[in-house]
Amino acid sequence: MIALADCNNFFCSCERVFHPEVRRRPTVVLSNNDGCVVARSNEAKALGIKMGDVYFQIRDMLERNGVAVFSSNYTLYGDMSRRVMSLLSRYAPRIDVYSIDEAFLYLDGMGTSDDLGEYCRGMVKTVTRGTGIPISVGIAPTKTLAKIASKFAKKYPGYKGVCVIDNEERRRKALELTEVGDVWGIGHRYADKLARSGVYTAWDFTQKHKDWIRANFTVNGLRTWQELRGISCVDLDERPMKKSICTSRSFPNQGVNRLPDLQEAVANFAATCVRKLREQRSVCRALTVFAYTSRFRTDLPWHLINATVTLPTPSSCLTEVVSAALTALSSHYGGERCYYKKAGVLVWDISREDELQFNLFDPLDRPRMLTLQKSIDKVNRLFGDGALRTAAQCRPGAAIENGARSYSLRRDHLSRQYTTNLSQVLTPG
């Protein structure tokens, strides 16, 4: 049996841990630059607030209904996630962290279904008491069924936080009550296509013949079909490697016009791409730097930067990728009359690092660069991302002499970093 532990409304729950005054109030968390809603409490959902609602369009409605609004505080959320996962790891010999608020626990040989239900209810109480974050747990023979079970555990209070799918009757009932677009691995983009074939629920999907699934879906669709039928075949270690990675940001106010500021931002974007490359043990052969001004500002010149660089050898070296990105940016910069509203870095032509073939005539000392990069990774794991960085990068949250950096995120409703910054911990009174 496999359990999926899922934190309830995670971002909102993190904020409520340190703001008990809003625990009964509708609560939303906004995206970068306070752009749109990315998390909602149950009370906010009841008001009809949807994921992706643009903040300035619904601001008056939020104020009328007394909705608590918070800017994204990813430092806080990341640390709270680590605390939740640390507690969960005590309850199973193996745990796979799937996302910031979800983890699979493998419960093989740990008792009957009834025993596991009570065992996981104790786990729910421990995590909630230890972190303040409520969680729901779904238990089933496969990961996909466990995801469905966790949604029932979250939706119906009678389950007391834990739903178990352990026999054919419960499996069929759960699938009949689940829309096919809500199934992990299918999604709403396939819902219309399936509806034309008479498939509306997860149960309908399982009743299709295997040959029909093969003809209309990829191998991942076939695996989902098997998982819904109780055959475990999804391995998180086999998730496909990303073919491209992009990091970008919209700048607040009128944008960024000075080259040094734009270079700092692009250096940070490139460094983030490198981190993501190394997390999936891959290298990139090419990268694209882009930036553009606002198309709505007719009083200012319009300019677009879209520069691509091909690296001599596929790389995930921080210094090499950042240097290439900055060279591309500088050669296409439009001058200080151009106020760029958005910029980013895209790395692509990605391959596995263990398939890398070196160039005999490469002027760079690749083994030495790899040793340096491993040392950087080790330090950053110990002391936090950005502890070691290139000189072109700014330190996250750093300020310049004349105030905040011009491209810093707009976060008018940001809470404190209660668990990671000694100067911002809770104090009496």
Side-chain angles (χ1 to χ4, degrees), residues 2-33:
I2 300 171
L4 174 72
D6 185 5
C7 300
N8 301 344
N9 307 320
F10 181 60
F11 290 177
C12 292
S13 295
C14 289
E15 298 291 355
R16 285 175 162 182
V17 169
F18 301 97
H19 296 89
E21 72 278 5
V22 304
R23 288 181 183 174
R24 303 295 180 185
R25 286 171 54 191
T27 304
V28 299
V29 175
L30 305 177
S31 64
N32 288 341
N33 282 321

Side-chain angles (χ1 to χ4, degrees), residues 95-220:
I95 175 175
D96 283 342
V97 178
Y98 177 65
S99 66
I100 193 172
D101 63 344
E102 293 177 293
F104 289 103
L105 294 84
Y106 299 86
L107 307 175
D108 298 340
M110 296 182 63
T112 65
S113 299
D114 291 338
D115 293 337
L116 292 178
E118 287 303 314
Y119 181 71
C120 287
R121 287 186 184 93
M123 179 176 70
V124 169
K125 292 179 181 178
T126 298
V127 172
T128 303
R129 183 171 60 247
T131 64
I133 305 295
I135 67 170
S136 300
V137 178
I139 305 173
T142 71
K143 294 182 179 69
T144 306
L145 286 173
K147 289 274 284 188
I148 291 175
S150 72
K151 292 180 180 179
F152 284 102
K154 188 179 296 187
K155 186 175 181 180
Y156 299 106
Y159 284 115
K160 298 181 180 179
V162 179
C163 175
V164 182
I165 298 177
D166 59 347
N167 57 43
E168 182 61 21
E169 180 184 357
R170 290 179 177 177
R171 182 182 75 88
R172 176 167 182 165
K173 184 177 181 180
L175 297 184
E176 288 176 340
L177 293 173
T178 301
E179 294 183 8
V180 70
D182 291 332
V183 174
W184 182 47
I186 296 180
H188 291 281
R189 62 176 178 158
Y190 286 111
D192 292 339
K193 175 183 176 181
L194 289 166
R196 290 193 293 269
S197 300
V199 176
Y200 301 97
T201 67
W203 175 254
D204 296 335
F205 185 72
T206 63
Q207 299 311 293
K208 286 294 184 179
H209 194 273
K210 189 175 184 179
D211 292 338
W212 186 89
I213 300 295
R214 283 175 170 167
N216 290 275
F217 288 87
T218 64
V219 64
N220 290 327

Side-chain angles (χ1 to χ4, degrees), residues 64 110 113 146 192 205 224 272 286 305 315 363 408:
R64 285 196 307 271
M110 296 182 63
S113 299
D192 292 339
F205 185 72
T224 299
T272 300
I305 296 174
S315 175
S408 59

Side-chain angles (χ1 to χ4, degrees), residues 33-341:
N33 282 321
D34 292 348
C36 60
V37 175
V38 295
R40 306 158 295 160
S41 67
N42 291 335
E43 297 85 355
K45 295 175 185 177
L47 290 175
I49 300 170
K50 298 180 176 60
M51 288 287 285
D53 278 351
V54 179
Y55 175 54
F56 79 85
Q57 293 179 342
I58 64 171
R59 181 185 300 160
D60 292 341
M61 186 275 284
L62 298 178
E63 292 178 354
R64 285 196 307 271
N65 289 277
V67 178
V69 178
F70 294 94
S71 301
S72 297
N73 189 341
Y74 295 116
T75 301
L76 175 65
Y77 308 153
D79 187 67
M80 294 300 290
S81 173
R82 180 187 61 78
R83 293 165 187 255
V84 169
M85 300 307 167
S86 177
L87 288 175
L88 290 176
S89 66
R90 303 178 185 179
Y91 284 85
R94 178 188 167 193
I95 175 175
D96 283 342
V97 178
Y98 177 65
S99 66
I100 193 172
D101 63 344
E102 293 177 293
F104 289 103
L105 294 84
Y106 299 86
L107 307 175
D108 298 340
M110 296 182 63
T112 65
S113 299
D114 291 338
D115 293 337
L116 292 178
E118 287 303 314
Y119 181 71
C120 287
R121 287 186 184 93
M123 179 176 70
V124 169
K125 292 179 181 178
T126 298
V127 172
T128 303
R129 183 171 60 247
T131 64
I133 305 295
I135 67 170
S136 300
V137 178
I139 305 173
T142 71
K143 294 182 179 69
T144 306
L145 286 173
K147 289 274 284 188
I148 291 175
S150 72
K151 292 180 180 179
F152 284 102
K154 188 179 296 187
K155 186 175 181 180
Y156 299 106
Y159 284 115
K160 298 181 180 179
V162 179
C163 175
V164 182
I165 298 177
D166 59 347
N167 57 43
E168 182 61 21
E169 180 184 357
R170 290 179 177 177
R171 182 182 75 88
R172 176 167 182 165
K173 184 177 181 180
L175 297 184
E176 288 176 340
L177 293 173
T178 301
E179 294 183 8
V180 70
D182 291 332
V183 174
W184 182 47
I186 296 180
H188 291 281
R189 62 176 178 158
Y190 286 111
D192 292 339
K193 175 183 176 181
L194 289 166
R196 290 193 293 269
S197 300
V199 176
Y200 301 97
T201 67
W203 175 254
D204 296 335
F205 185 72
T206 63
Q207 299 311 293
K208 286 294 184 179
H209 194 273
K210 189 175 184 179
D211 292 338
W212 186 89
I213 300 295
R214 283 175 170 167
N216 290 275
F217 288 87
T218 64
V219 64
N220 290 327
L222 179 60
R223 287 177 178 173
T224 299
W225 179 80
Q226 291 176 311
E227 287 254 328
L228 291 174
R229 294 169 68 92
I231 303 170
S232 181
C233 58
V234 172
D235 189 344
L236 297 184
D237 293 333
E238 296 178 356
R239 283 176 289 182
M241 182 177 62
K242 292 181 180 179
K243 299 302 182 182
S244 63
I245 296 172
C246 181
T247 302
S248 62
R249 178 179 298 171
S250 296
F251 303 125
N253 304 320
Q254 63 181 354
V256 173
N257 68 323
R258 296 181 62 250
L259 180 59
D261 291 340
L262 199 59
Q263 286 175 324
E264 265 190 8
V266 167
N268 279 315
F269 300 154
T272 300
C273 289
V274 167
R275 175 175 57 79
K276 293 178 179 179
L277 279 172
R278 298 192 63 77
E279 285 175 352
Q280 67 173 21
R281 300 181 182 278
S282 62
V283 291
C284 72
R285 183 61 184 265
L287 64 92
T288 298
V289 177
F290 61 89
Y292 50 83
T293 58
S294 174
R295 63 181 183 274
F296 302 108
R297 292 292 299 272
T298 57
D299 57 323
L300 295 173
W302 185 86
H303 191 255
L304 168 68
I305 296 174
N306 193 331
T308 296
V309 178
T310 300
L311 301 176
T313 300
S315 175
S316 61
C317 174
L318 177 64
T319 55
E320 185 175 17
V321 174
V322 169
S323 176
L326 293 180
T327 300
L329 172 69
S330 299
S331 62
H332 292 79
Y333 172 62
E336 292 194 3
R337 292 187 68 244
C338 299
Y339 284 81
Y340 297 95
K341 282 295 293 180

